Amino acid sequence: MTIERPNMDRRAPTPGEYFQRDRDMHPPAYTPIYKTSVTRSPQKALLSLEQSLSEMTGPVFNHNDIGALDHDMILNYAKDGEPIGQRIIVHGRVIDESGKGIPHTLVEAWQANAGGRYRHKKDAYLAPIDPNFGGCGRCLTDENGYYFFRTIKPGPYPWRNYVNSWRPAHIHLSIFGPSFTQRLITQMYFEGDPLIDICPIIKTIPDEEAIKRLVAPLDLNASVPLDSRAYKFDIVVRGRRSTLFENRLEGN
């Protein structure tokens, strides 16, 4: 048996670095109306570092990593019944700037329960823990970039920004690209929530259109009669109309 040496001229090109964050679109790091940004924001000039090869490549997820009920937060933590609250469906597509769906991308979700409490040891809000609701799920987009979750609509909750501050109801979403440095995190809000307009965190966003892209409209066409209402939330990962992300490493 002979072993053919690889043709060095036919090697795959080294992947290029990802675009850096577009800081003209995103909120400034220091925004005193969001009090914790005062201590979290950098106090010195930022350093620009080149990305390593391991940051630009890496393992990806496939269907072997996904359980049958991972996308169903109504059932995936249920012990002796179903969780309390409004049953909803969250669905949409992960797309690029041209509207092309991004297939086989891992989408993760986590949220508070219907009372506004997270299943986390540091969450001390007075609302009770729901024994049948874990508050997290995940799925892979299909060949057209489509994803969906079944869940319970989260409740708003108080936080210590100033007296009587409340966060709007929201779901955290994480999207993985072909490498771990492409993990993008955002928050989805619900159409009609009066707390959106007065939330100090949302007020740090300078672009009104970007705020609108974080709000999911009611979608009765995808709702299940006598069961669940649906909200549609498309996630745009690149371009001028991209969804605003919390930890974006590439620009628009």
Side-chain angles (χ1 to χ4, degrees), residues 9-76:
D9 294 329
R10 293 183 296 178
R11 288 182 300 178
T14 301
E17 289 192 37
Y18 300 126
F19 293 112
Q20 298 298 315
R21 180 190 297 240
D22 181 350
R23 299 189 181 278
D24 292 332
M25 174 184 174
H26 287 70
Y30 179 76
T31 50
I33 60 170
Y34 177 18
K35 287 187 177 180
T36 56
S37 76
V38 175
T39 54
R40 289 179 179 176
S41 57
Q43 303 298 310
K44 298 182 180 179
L46 301 179
L47 298 177
S48 180
L49 302 176
E50 292 185 2
Q51 296 166 2
S52 67
L53 182 62
S54 62
E55 289 177 317
M56 295 180 286
T57 60
V60 295
F61 298 93
N62 60 39
H63 288 284
N64 294 328
D65 301 304
I66 304 297
L69 292 177
D70 279 3
H71 72 290
D72 192 337
M73 289 186 270
I74 294 177
L75 297 179
N76 66 14

Side-chain angles (χ1 to χ4, degrees), residues 181-199:
T181 58
Q182 282 192 307
R183 188 191 186 202
L184 304 175
I185 300 172
T186 190
Q187 293 184 20
M188 184 203 90
Y189 301 94
F190 295 88
E191 179 183 37
D193 190 333
L195 292 173
I196 293 174
D197 291 338
I198 60 175
C199 177

